[in-house]
Amino acid sequence: MTSSRSELIATALRRGLRKRCPHCGEGRLFSGWSFLHSCPVCGLVYARNPGDTWAFTIFGDRLPLGAMIAIIYFGVVRSHPALGVSMLVALAALAIWTTPNRWGVGIALHYLSRVYWPDPADPVPPPRATGSSS
Ligand SMILES: [Zn+2]
């Protein structure tokens, strides 16, 4: 039971990181830079309310990023300004470049919370038949 649970978590997070639907692994999360409302393949609604994924985005994304900025600022910028500023610029570029992937992980975390604590008003589509590509 615990192995299938951790497998589901790993699968959903991997799919989110690849910007795919955490439920079926096939539908896209984004069209260009815009966020899709639901999965075009299995019909999963990614975020029923616009604020649903914010908590996951803040804890999984903003806090680690803020901590890295603070570490670079206090650890490097004060003693080696040029090196520190280049590190901050590199971090900012990396953060912007990986934004869709990190959003995907936030959506996957939100999806997992809906799988483990189901809400009758917020149905998750039934699992797809195994044997298909995932
Ligand atoms: Zn899907």
Side-chain angles (χ1 to χ4, degrees):
M1 177 186 158
T2 46
S3 71
S4 70
R5 171 175 277 218
S6 59
E7 197 172 298
L8 173 67
I9 292 171
T11 302
L13 291 179
R14 196 172 57 240
R15 287 169 173 174
L17 204 57
R18 284 169 44 222
K19 298 178 282 180
R20 297 288 167 169
C21 170
H23 186 66
C24 67
E26 290 177 30
R28 291 176 171 279
L29 292 176
F30 302 93
S31 172
W33 281 94
S34 63
F35 173 58
L36 295 175
H37 172 259
S38 62
C39 175
V41 176
C42 71
L44 173 75
V45 175
Y46 295 137
R48 191 163 54 112
N49 302 307
D52 278 354
T53 56
W54 281 34
F56 298 105
T57 308
I58 287 168
F59 285 106
D61 188 80
R62 301 300 190 267
L63 291 182
L65 201 59
M68 281 193 280
I69 290 170
I71 288 166
I72 293 173
Y73 182 80
F74 291 108
V76 184
V77 173
R78 289 180 159 195
S79 49
H80 308 283
L83 176 66
V85 168
S86 347
M87 284 172 77
L88 287 176
V89 169
L91 179 65
L94 190 69
I96 292 166
W97 187 46
T98 59
T99 291
N101 307 81
R102 288 179 292 117
W103 263 107
V105 171
I107 291 164
L109 289 172
H110 175 56
Y111 164 77
L112 289 169
S113 77
R114 290 157 71 195
V115 169
Y116 290 121
W117 298 283
D119 176 356
D122 182 21
V124 170
R128 290 166 58 85
T130 51
S132 64
S133 68
S134 71

